[in-house]
Structure formats: C-alpha cells, structure tokens
Amino acid sequence: MPESYLEIDRHRAAIARTEISRPVRLALEWSIINQDTTFFDYGCGYGGDVQRVGNLGYISAGWDPYYYPNQQITAADVVNLGYVVNVIEDLAERNQSLITAWEITRKVLIVAAQVLINAPSKAQLAYNDGIVTSRNTFQKYYEQAELKKYIDEVLNVDAVPVALGVYFVFRDEAEKESFKAIRFFSRTYTPRVRIPSKRFEDYQETLQPLMEFFTKRGRLPVKGELANEQELLSEFGNFRRAFTVVLQATDEAEWDAIAYHRSLDIQVYLALTHFDQRPKFSKLAPEMRHDIKAFFGSYEEACEVADQKLFSLGRPKVIQTACEKSKIGKHTRGALYVHISALASLDPLLRIYEGCASRTIGRVDGATLIKYNLEQPQISYLFYPDFDTDPHPALKASITIDLKTLYVTHRDYANRANPPVLHRKETFVMSNYPQYEEFAKLTQQEQELGLLQQKSDIGTREGWLKCLADHEVEIRGHQIYPMKES
C-alpha cells in the first residue's frame, strides 16, 4: 500500500499516566505554573495533566481531537503541547498544531517531544519523516537540536531547553532571560542571627524582607523592589542604614559571600548567552539590570568578564587544571565526579564548561553525578536514583555530551546483571549535604575493615558483594554488621 494511504491511529499514542507528565512537572517545579496562572493542555489525551494540575488548585482545562473534541479551546497563560508534534504524520498539520498552541499562549508554551538518544528499532516501518510503530501510531524521533530548530523556525522564536525533549517558549523576552539566569543561581541561605542587638530585635520583622531580598539577589534593593519599602524607609531613611542594623546582628562575611556567589552566577549566565544572540541590556528584566549595575558597574564590563572566562576554556589544559584544583568532588585519574547539588559551588570555569554541555538540553532531569572527563572534551551525567538510601548505589543510566559535536549518547545500565557501584559517597558531596556525616562514617568503617583496598575488584556489584562475603560482614542502612549465619 502506498504511504499516502496508511491510516494512522494517532489516538493510540496517548499514554494513561498515574502522575503528572514530565514537561508539566518541570513547569510546576520552575513555578511557570503557579497560583497566578491559568493552564491549558492542547492535545491532552486522556486528560491526566488537566485533572492533576486542577487538583493542585490551579485553573486548568484541556482539549483533545479524539478524547475531548467538544471541549472549548481557550487561551491560557501556560499552554502545554506535550508529545503531540511527534505523533502527527502530516507535516502541515503538525506545524498548524504548534502554531495554534502558540496563538492561545499568553505567557509560556511548553513543547515536548520524543528525543532520539537510542536508535529506533530497524524492524519499524519508516513513514514520511518518522516511523509507524507496532501499534499503528506514528513517531517522529527528533534530535534535541533539531527539535529546537523546528520550534524556532515554525514560530519565529528562541525556545529555551529545559530538559531532553522539553522546551519553554516565552512571550516576554525579559521573562525568558530571567528564567535562563535563575537556573544558574546557586543556593544561598540567610545568615543566622549571632548577636541580636536591641534595635535589631525591635525591628526584626520589618527587616526580614530586606534580609530575604539580599539572600536572593546578593545586593540591596532599589526603589520599588521591596514590598514593605515605605515602612522600612520611614524608620531607617534608606536601605543601607537598615542593613547596617542587620550587619550588627549577623556575620558580615556571610553576606559578602552571598554577594560574591551571585556575581559569579551572573558571569556564568552571561558567558553562556554568547552562544545565542546575547540580549540587549534593555531586554533584561529590571532586577537583572540592577544586579549587573551593582556587581559590575556596566553591562559591557559584565559581558567582558564573562567572555574572558568563556574564551579561556579553549586554552590547553585549563579545564584539567580547574578539575585537579577543585576542592569539591571525587578525583580519579581521568575525571572529576561531582554531585549535582554541588555544581553551583564549583569554580566558575567548571560551571561554564558544564553549561556549554547542558545549554542544548537544559538541566538533565534526575541526574545524580556530573563527570568531567579530563582526557576528552565531554561531560557525563550519571543516574544513581538510590544515592541517598543505598550505601553503595548501582548506576542506572548515563548521558554523555560531546562538547565538540554536542552529540548525546545514552547508556542504560538498569538491566545489567553486574552494574558499577559507588563507594566513598561523601567525596561527591559538600560537607553541608544532609547525609554527609552518615556517608563519611560508613567509609571510615569500611577503611578500618580493609574493604576498600582492592579498588579494581569492588567497582561492580558482584565484586563488592564478594568482598563483603570474604570479610564476613554485611551492610544494613549505612552501618556494617557481622554477617548473619545462614
């Protein structure tokens, strides 16, 4: 039968989920969907996301040509086009679905599609620019960069990668740049009160919003940025005088560290805008413009500092040296391994280098460790879902990005009988990690018992279990016990 006569059962591509889909979950995690927004799922399938977003208390609706054809298509702040463009075999109709979804979007369009990281089966029938599956559904498998190019060209936009196969498309340029920047903001904590003065205690409630603002931005606010501005200024005259009272009750060095980290965060963000069309200063959100003025004096100076760091990555052994000098992470002969929670605390050069890899795929959702390869220009993301609970978790999957080609390679270890396992977990994380002490204590016990001596033997599950058996011990939780007699 000629291709043009194939009858595709598109509706059979709909997935009955038991939880919110990944693209919508990411939009919730990034506060794209919030109490102030409305949500519409265009091509909602069985309607699971519509129901679950509604259950969270948000205004939520949806439409589907097969399952909910009579529902009204309405404009919304956030519109989801989740795994729709990859199941429509007709290109003109596929394009029109994307255009319609964008037309009803007031703020942010979520576009998600299947991304090709494993080659589809050779047994599947090629059809148009995709394949026909065994269930008689169509699947177009995109390369990550190809999906962005498709969205950008059809809508004349600059889609922002959020994760593999997931893009956010923003109506407002400043909101887009704020979202891109906030992803590089390191986590900060408000310094604790050490020496509470009488004046501080009298005005602590009034000063709290100022402290929270500085914790978030690393600087004092300008006029109009603080909700209780009038109350604060009427009492203290200006923000600087008010903050002096805060400094008397806290450690000034901790506030300086917050400001320093925020300036580095902005350098990382600006360095990575070099790959796209760097936004004009006027297109940045007001708070970002104030950040740049506070930390660098001018946009030109900020961009110059960021570009110097970016261009230095091209010099021989710069990354290797930065990795070797890193006080964070586990060092091996050929790589530096860092827990994802410690990324924002790394040397800015290493953060920018990782950003060069993840800029086309967004954050790698669910990754546990980042591997900086010292011998090849590549970054790997390693998945250990049981990292916190399993004393020696097994590797479930890895995603490697070649920085020369940006080619993405995926490897699945989930069904391997003898996967690699981790040791010395405290070396991957920072000392403020919640389970750091627990991890370190186990490592100390293992060292004292001689369990970690045969490095080449204990790197896999089978080798590690044999080592435990040879020493007649077992591990429950993060504690070592004599092996129970059978």
Side-chain angles (χ1 to χ4, degrees):
M1 185 182 287
E3 288 183 355
S4 57
Y5 290 100
L6 274 179
E7 293 266 345
I8 302 297
D9 297 326
R10 288 183 196 164
H11 66 281
R12 297 185 69 185
I15 297 173
R17 293 184 173 87
T18 57
E19 54 190 22
I20 289 175
S21 68
R22 188 170 66 116
V24 176
R25 174 173 58 77
L26 290 168
L28 286 163
E29 288 175 2
W30 285 108
S31 297
I32 297 295
I33 299 171
N34 56 60
Q35 294 290 353
D36 299 323
T37 61
T38 54
F39 173 76
F40 190 87
D41 196 346
Y42 185 72
C44 63
Y46 294 112
D49 280 340
V50 175
Q51 181 182 344
R52 291 183 183 94
V53 170
N55 289 344
L56 291 172
Y58 306 128
I59 298 172
S60 177
W63 171 87
D64 188 87
Y66 185 86
Y67 295 99
Y68 295 95
N70 298 321
Q71 293 294 325
Q72 188 175 355
I73 298 173
T74 56
D77 296 319
V78 181
V79 174
N80 180 45
L81 189 70
Y83 305 105
V84 170
V85 295
N86 51 285
V87 300
I88 300 176
E89 73 282 0
D90 183 87
L91 181 59
E93 194 175 341
R94 189 189 307 164
N95 293 351
Q96 189 54 52
S97 294
L98 181 58
I99 291 167
T100 302
W102 182 232
E103 286 174 344
I104 63 172
T105 301
R106 294 197 194 101
K107 291 185 176 181
V108 182
L109 172 65
I110 309 164
V111 183
Q114 297 284 0
V115 167
L116 187 64
I117 49 179
N118 287 323
S121 167
K122 297 284 192 299
Q124 292 166 320
L125 173 66
Y127 181 62
N128 289 349
D129 59 350
I131 57 152
V132 176
T133 70
S134 59
R135 301 178 70 237
N136 200 37
T137 63
F138 174 81
Q139 282 291 349
K140 157 70 175 168
Y141 291 91
Y142 291 86
E143 296 282 356
Q144 177 78 358
E146 177 192 8
L147 179 57
K148 174 174 167 57
K149 184 180 179 185
Y150 170 66
I151 299 167
D152 288 357
E153 289 182 351
V154 172
L155 301 182
N156 190 28
V157 295
D158 175 27
V160 179
V162 183
L164 276 171
V166 183
Y167 283 85
F168 290 168
V169 188
F170 290 81
R171 281 284 181 197
D172 185 84
E173 185 79 9
E175 286 185 14
K176 179 187 78 173
E177 292 304 326
S178 288
F179 173 77
K180 288 166 69 175
I182 205 83
R183 290 191 297 169
F184 298 107
F185 270 31
S186 48
R187 184 178 296 178
T188 51
Y189 301 93
T190 303
R192 64 186 181 88
V193 177
R194 295 176 183 274
I195 314 166
S197 64
K198 178 73 168 64
R199 187 157 171 76
F200 177 81
E201 288 183 332
D202 288 345
Y203 293 99
Q204 186 167 358
E205 193 174 326
T206 306
L207 291 167
Q208 193 63 37
L210 177 64
M211 295 167 70
E212 290 171 0
F213 182 91
F214 198 108
T215 301
K216 183 178 180 182
R217 307 301 313 186
R219 61 172 173 83
L220 293 174
V222 300
K223 190 175 180 181
E225 285 191 303
L226 210 58
N228 71 333
E229 178 179 308
Q230 290 304 319
E231 181 185 3
L232 206 67
L233 295 182
S234 63
E235 182 58 42
F236 295 98
N238 59 48
F239 292 127
R240 190 160 296 283
R241 281 203 204 102
F243 200 65
T244 299
V245 178
V246 173
L247 293 178
Q248 290 168 355
T250 55
D251 186 346
E252 187 171 355
E254 293 182 29
W255 296 105
D256 290 342
I258 290 172
Y260 175 67
H261 281 295
R262 280 291 171 262
S263 71
L264 296 181
D265 295 341
I266 292 172
Q267 288 177 43
V268 174
Y269 156 67
L270 288 177
L272 295 168
T273 63
H274 180 86
F275 292 104
D276 307 310
Q277 188 170 356
R278 181 169 276 160
K280 293 180 179 178
F281 187 62
S282 60
K283 292 292 184 182
L284 297 177
E287 61 266 25
M288 180 59 69
R289 296 202 297 268
H290 296 315
D291 290 347
I292 289 169
K293 284 182 179 178
F295 296 130
F296 304 98
S298 71
Y299 191 40
E300 293 73 20
E301 178 66 23
C303 291
E304 187 177 336
V305 171
D307 285 345
Q308 283 175 357
K309 282 193 168 66
L310 176 66
F311 298 151
S312 74
L313 298 180
R315 294 202 295 268
K317 299 205 171 183
V318 165
I319 287 301
Q320 183 178 340
T321 301
C323 285
E324 289 170 351
K325 285 184 176 180
S326 178
K327 294 178 180 178
I328 300 169
K330 182 175 183 177
H331 296 265
T332 66
R333 185 177 299 174
L336 172 69
Y337 295 82
V338 178
H339 192 272
I340 200 83
S341 64
L343 174 62
S345 299
L346 290 176
D347 182 308
L349 288 174
L350 295 180
R351 293 177 64 190
I352 293 169
Y353 190 66
E354 185 276 334
C356 291
S358 66
R359 66 187 172 86
T360 60
I361 62 170
R363 285 280 168 254
V364 181
D365 191 34
T368 313
L369 302 181
I370 302 168
K371 176 185 176 182
Y372 289 83
N373 192 306
L374 302 186
E375 295 159 359
Q376 301 290 335
Q378 63 185 35
I379 293 275
S380 295
Y381 299 89
L382 310 178
F383 295 76
Y384 294 89
D386 303 321
F387 182 84
D388 286 344
T389 55
D390 190 328
H392 296 282
L395 179 63
K396 291 292 191 293
S398 71
I399 291 175
T400 299
I401 301 171
D402 186 310
L403 276 101
K404 285 184 177 178
T405 63
L406 295 181
Y407 186 76
V408 180
T409 305
H410 178 269
R411 289 187 176 87
D412 190 358
Y413 295 82
N415 296 318
R416 293 198 185 184
N418 189 28
V421 295
L422 286 183
H423 300 279
R424 305 177 188 272
K425 289 195 298 181
E426 76 283 354
T427 60
F428 301 104
V429 300
M430 297 181 65
S431 58
N432 61 358
Y433 193 77
Q435 288 97 339
Y436 178 85
E437 296 295 338
E438 189 178 16
F439 297 165
K441 188 176 178 181
L442 175 63
T443 297
Q444 185 179 349
Q445 280 186 292
E446 290 173 341
Q447 283 176 322
E448 290 170 354
L449 290 170
L451 295 173
L452 304 179
Q453 290 177 351
Q454 303 298 323
K455 293 182 181 179
S456 59
D457 297 334
I458 63 173
T460 62
R461 180 186 283 156
E462 288 180 3
W464 176 242
L465 291 176
K466 183 180 182 302
C467 177
L468 291 177
D470 289 345
H471 286 77
E472 298 183 333
V473 294
E474 60 183 355
I475 299 176
R476 298 194 299 273
H478 284 77
Q479 288 287 323
I480 298 179
Y481 300 92
M483 191 170 285
K484 292 178 181 177
E485 292 184 11
S486 55

